[in-house]
Amino acid sequence: MNAPRDAKGIEDLIEARFGLAPSAFQRDRIEMILGEKPIKSGGPIPLERLVEAVTVGETYFFREPMQIDALVRRVLPERALVGPRGRKLRILSAGCSSGEEPYTMAIAAEVTTPELSPLLSITGLDLNGAAIEKARRARYSPWAVRGASQQIREQFFRKDGETFVLDPRIQSRVTFEEGNLLDVLARVPEATYDVVFCRNVLIYFSERALHRALAAFVRALLPGGYLFLGHSESLRGISDGFELVHEHDAFYYRLKSPSASTITTTPALLPLPLPEPPMRAPLPTPEDGAFSWAEEIQRSTERIARIAETREAEDAASVAEARAAETPSALARVLDLLEAERHDEALLVVSAAGPGAPPELELCRAAIYGEKGRLRDAERALGALLARGQCETGAHYLLGLLRENERDIERAAWHYREAKRRDPRFSLPHLRLGMVLRRGGHGAEARVELEKALELLEHEERARIVMFGGGFRREVLLELCKAQLGALGIPKRDPTPV
């Protein structure tokens, strides 16, 4: 289908047809494509190309391994006990891109629950026809399998030159379909799927399409079925048709009984202060000595994260070098405006930077949206950054603030832990986590976090204070940290001078 060369008309068409609502960053990309010279045929630009501009296809094998671990260790064995013995366990991988996610499920099931593996019927769905064709070929670059352990690569892939070819047995567990999620869900029979994975897809949906999709998930899932979303996505305040499950460091949703399921409109989110619910204790880990592919993948993922951080630093250095002639740079101008609390002007500078701007500007955009109360826009911007693997430390911290604002304390704490895990020298996640732990009655753990925050705040980068400090200066944040320690009975003291 072709699209007219009118940006506003295209946005309306994309929203009506696919449910996607372009963010400001994505509008820039659309306008850049519209500004290109017409293709040789002289005809309009294909709509599918513009849809690709508002979605992210970045993925790799064993991404977010804790959710995959929850699927194969907890969800699939439970679902296998429901209904006739030996029935097919049906899984939908929505927004599957080039197939890494559904194939990862099949590999993980083969390793962890081989008796259930032949029962799997996994459907991969994506709008991008080229990505679907790549998924069907099941040939991947070394970068796509970077999250897989050496054991997984040797057992389930065949090396062919510079590519990795997936084992045909694993390929046979997955079928692929090109299509629009809302259209597909509307035509599948009711109560079809045991599990739906829809990670980092709903962040692109308009409010209207989001509610349509959730109602469609309720219809398409079997009773007690499961829905897995991305780390940045939450149903809190949007749908009470699902209950949140949290175990082994993974969050996902279980469908409630029909009598308790309704889709609600999004309520206004209230400001802090927060209530003080107890924090849930961590669940036990698998038995010592048990084979855990997830542990291997986690180690591999951490290794890849370090590589990605190095790449990101190199990319940032390249961007900085390319923009060195700009005086001052867009990011520097935005930080100055944020420090002066001139948020509207800062947002104009971010938007003017265009689609080639460094991802840190998109992080600034999310922070500005949060300050202005545009929480849904902030969440979408942060989700897109995480989907691209960019600015993950800051994105997790800001998502923690959003979850805290929603009274979702458990997930807020999880995001703060993710932020400080990625950069232990970042002071603000320690501060917020310490505050959450103190309110939850975990005094000893809170003290550790708050004392670490006090130590780090004194030397925190100005950019981080400006971007993430909520308008508070370093001195105010230090006093806040000391006051929190004082509430725990720790005598007030100044940070140890270096």
Side-chain angles (χ1 to χ4, degrees):
M1 181 176 182
N2 292 326
R5 289 183 171 270
D6 171 71
K8 181 61 173 67
I10 286 170
E11 287 181 35
D12 293 341
L13 181 58
I14 289 174
E15 198 278 333
R17 174 89 182 274
F18 304 107
L20 304 174
S23 66
F25 170 79
Q26 292 152 350
R27 289 189 198 102
D28 291 339
R29 296 182 67 184
I30 288 174
E31 290 177 2
M32 181 180 70
I33 292 171
L34 293 178
E36 295 174 356
K37 292 181 180 179
I39 57 178
K40 291 182 179 179
S41 65
I45 295 172
L47 180 61
E48 289 73 13
R49 185 174 177 210
L50 296 174
V51 169
E52 291 171 22
V54 298
T55 56
V56 174
E58 167 66 19
T59 187
Y60 51 86
F61 281 87
F62 296 100
R63 189 174 189 179
E64 299 179 11
M66 292 302 100
Q67 286 189 331
I68 300 295
D69 198 39
L71 171 72
V72 296
R73 291 186 181 279
R74 160 73 184 275
V75 171
L76 292 182
E78 175 192 306
R79 298 303 302 167
L81 298 176
V82 177
R85 184 174 182 178
R87 72 177 180 87
K88 287 292 185 182
L89 300 175
R90 301 189 183 280
I91 303 174
L92 175 65
S93 172
C96 71
S97 188
S98 45
E100 288 89 336
E101 177 181 89
Y103 285 144
T104 294
M105 299 177 198
I107 292 173
E110 183 72 21
V111 170
T112 306
T113 54
E115 69 282 4
L116 298 181
S117 187
L119 303 180
L120 293 186
S121 175
I122 306 173
T123 300
L125 173 68
D126 202 274
L127 277 173
N128 189 324
I132 290 296
E133 285 305 310
K134 180 179 177 181
R136 289 172 176 150
R137 290 193 297 270
R139 301 177 68 95
Y140 294 96
S141 69
W143 188 245
V145 299
R146 67 191 187 273
S149 67
Q150 184 65 30
Q151 179 181 349
I152 294 292
R153 290 198 296 270
E154 291 176 357
Q155 185 175 352
F156 295 102
F157 292 88
R158 173 178 58 84
K159 193 76 183 299
D160 182 17
E162 294 301 313
T163 63
F164 290 82
V165 182
L166 186 62
D167 187 325
R169 285 188 308 112
I170 300 301
Q171 293 185 45
S172 69
R173 311 277 193 242
V174 185
T175 59
F176 292 96
E177 180 178 349
E178 177 186 353
N180 175 3
L181 175 61
L182 295 177
D183 290 344
V184 170
L185 290 176
R187 67 173 183 263
V188 298
E190 189 173 346
T192 292
Y193 298 110
D194 291 276
V195 181
V196 171
F197 266 65
C198 189
R199 301 194 293 190
N200 304 315
V201 174
L202 299 183
I203 55 173
Y204 302 110
F205 277 28
S206 66
E207 290 293 333
R208 178 175 57 181
L210 174 61
H211 285 82
R212 282 177 59 198
L214 292 175
F217 289 146
V218 170
R219 175 185 171 276
L221 280 166
L222 285 156
Y226 288 86
L227 173 64
F228 286 77
L229 301 178
H231 288 320
S232 67
E233 298 165 314
S234 171
L235 300 185
R236 190 180 182 93
I238 300 173
S239 168
D240 63 358
F242 297 86
E243 58 183 335
L244 181 66
V245 180
H246 177 205
E247 59 181 355
H248 298 305
D249 219 19
F251 290 91
Y252 51 102
Y253 293 90
R254 181 192 293 113
L255 183 65
K256 291 181 181 178
S257 61
S259 60
S261 300
T262 57
I263 304 298
T264 65
T265 55
T266 306
L269 297 174
L270 302 175
L272 301 174
L274 298 164
E276 303 183 11
M279 295 290 290
R280 186 180 299 180
L283 292 172
T285 57
E287 294 179 357
D288 291 338
F291 174 79
S292 172
W293 67 269
E295 292 174 2
E296 286 197 37
I297 297 305
Q298 187 64 28
R299 286 194 293 270
S300 181
T301 299
E302 289 170 357
R303 173 177 56 80
I304 295 305
R306 291 193 294 272
I307 295 172
E309 287 169 5
T310 302
R311 271 195 167 197
E312 187 172 321
E314 291 172 351
D315 291 345
S318 299
V319 170
E321 184 177 348
R323 295 172 178 268
E326 298 182 15
T327 308
S329 70
L331 182 58
R333 292 200 301 276
V334 168
L335 291 175
D336 287 342
L337 291 167
L338 288 179
E339 195 166 32
E341 298 190 12
R342 293 159 61 183
H343 298 115
D344 290 334
E345 294 174 63
L347 193 56
L348 288 174
V349 174
V350 171
S351 298
E360 288 78 10
L361 281 179
E362 192 67 7
L363 195 62
C364 288
R365 186 198 300 276
I368 295 167
Y369 284 157
E371 289 290 329
K372 295 171 71 65
R374 295 172 57 180
L375 304 185
R376 170 71 172 153
D377 288 333
E379 185 168 349
R380 292 179 64 204
L382 295 170
L385 283 169
L386 288 180
R388 293 192 294 269
Q390 296 172 329
C391 300
E392 293 178 309
T393 300
H396 275 293
Y397 175 72
L398 290 177
L399 281 166
L401 294 180
L402 287 176
R403 297 289 91 89
E404 228 186 309
N405 193 77
E406 295 170 351
R407 315 300 199 266
D408 194 345
I409 305 303
E410 191 173 24
R411 292 190 71 174
W414 184 88
H415 281 295
Y416 294 144
R417 288 190 172 98
E418 282 296 294
K420 74 186 186 76
R421 182 178 68 83
R422 283 168 165 78
D423 186 354
R425 302 295 300 173
F426 186 13
S427 61
L428 293 178
H430 292 280
L431 174 57
R432 296 303 307 189
L433 181 58
M435 294 169 67
V436 165
L437 289 168
R438 186 189 71 78
R439 286 196 298 270
H442 298 264
E445 297 170 66
R447 175 175 180 171
V448 171
E449 297 296 338
L450 291 167
E451 287 184 336
K452 188 65 176 179
L454 190 62
E455 172 192 336
L456 296 173
L457 266 169
E458 187 72 19
H459 309 285
E460 186 60 88
E461 299 172 15
R462 167 188 172 262
R464 281 178 161 173
I465 295 290
V466 172
M467 195 181 302
F468 304 115
F472 295 111
R473 293 176 291 108
R474 186 189 311 272
E475 294 76 13
V476 176
L477 293 170
L478 285 167
E479 287 303 314
L480 172 62
C481 193
K482 294 173 189 175
Q484 291 288 314
L485 284 166
L488 290 171
I490 312 301
K492 186 174 181 180
R493 62 179 177 81
D494 292 325
T496 304
V498 176

